[in-house]
Amino acid sequence: MRKITLSDVNRWKKNSFELALRLGYKQKILSSVLHTARYSVLPGYPPEGNWYGWCKYHPSHPEIAVYEYNLSTHFSESNVIKSALLKKGMPSAQADEIINKLRPVSPEDFFEVFNQSGMDHEAIGHLYHRMDGQDCSEKAAVRVQIQLAHERRYLAWELIREVMPAVLGYQFNIAEFNKTQ
């Protein structure tokens, strides 16, 4: 089982910022998020219901933390992912459909996409938007996460983009996203 390291977090952070910059996000705010925020890896697994980590707002030192283990570190165990989806209220048939759509994705690709998408959510969806005075709610961060996923060009991203809205809809209890494409 692979562990998430600070090197991984730094790579995902860099990728999030580079894409946001290419999409026209404000460089000054991106730079502030990049250099002011503290990024860390927390030991163990996220608490129940959290699949990735968190973002905390503080004017002088915002924080983004990622847990060293999450669903991506257990991707080859489809029952772990299905169980997480069911706990969020997803119907079993829809969870099976999602697992089947993800079968062509390698564990390494899923690890990268899942965690990159999580960093997009926390760093750009929450922190950047908070610093820019925009909506930084879970729903807004999910919209940003999906937007950035649509800008990434790689087969694993294409497959995951198909199921991402439904998975995030159940994860964050946003009904408008709950349908699989």
Side-chain angles (χ1 to χ4, degrees):
M1 171 177 22
R2 182 164 176 189
K3 221 161 88 164
I4 293 170
T5 66
L6 192 54
S7 176
D8 294 323
V9 169
N10 287 330
R11 180 177 63 257
W12 300 322
K13 172 180 68 171
K14 180 179 180 264
N15 289 340
S16 291
F17 293 109
E18 287 175 354
L19 179 56
L21 189 59
R22 282 196 315 270
L23 292 176
Y25 282 71
K26 298 172 188 169
Q27 184 172 2
K28 183 177 179 180
I29 296 171
L30 284 170
S31 181
S32 181
V33 171
L34 183 62
H35 300 294
T36 305
R38 296 176 187 167
Y39 294 82
S40 61
V41 177
L42 301 174
Y45 292 88
E48 185 73 27
N50 182 319
W51 291 354
Y52 182 71
W54 44 259
C55 175
K56 289 186 180 175
Y57 311 115
H58 185 279
S60 63
H61 57 273
E63 296 179 67
I64 293 177
V66 177
Y67 288 90
E68 67 184 344
Y69 298 107
N70 63 32
L71 293 179
S72 76
T73 62
H74 293 284
F75 180 64
S76 58
E77 305 164 45
S78 62
N79 61 325
V80 172
I81 295 188
K82 183 174 180 178
S83 176
L85 293 170
L86 295 176
K87 283 181 183 175
K88 289 293 189 171
M90 182 178 281
S92 184
Q94 188 177 13
D96 288 338
E97 181 183 346
I98 285 170
I99 301 285
N100 287 332
K101 283 186 176 191
L102 294 178
R103 288 204 193 285
V105 179
S106 73
E108 182 61 28
D109 283 344
F110 186 78
F111 177 84
E112 288 300 321
V113 171
F114 182 92
N115 291 297
Q116 180 64 64
S117 183
M119 184 59 68
D120 293 346
H121 179 98
E122 301 299 342
I124 308 302
H126 284 308
L127 191 53
Y128 173 94
H129 283 86
R130 170 73 178 239
M131 293 176 123
D132 195 33
Q134 297 182 44
D135 182 5
C136 58
S137 66
E138 287 299 342
K139 186 175 183 179
V142 165
R143 286 186 192 284
V144 167
Q145 191 174 1
I146 292 169
Q147 174 206 14
L148 295 182
H150 280 281
E151 296 297 325
R152 298 184 190 278
R153 303 287 172 237
Y154 186 65
L155 178 60
W157 280 100
E158 291 174 25
L159 294 170
I160 289 172
R161 274 195 307 263
E162 290 181 35
V163 301
M164 183 182 273
V167 170
L168 295 172
Y170 279 98
Q171 180 183 0
F172 294 107
N173 196 26
I174 305 171
E176 70 185 77
F177 294 122
N178 288 356
K179 301 270 188 267
T180 307
Q181 293 180 349

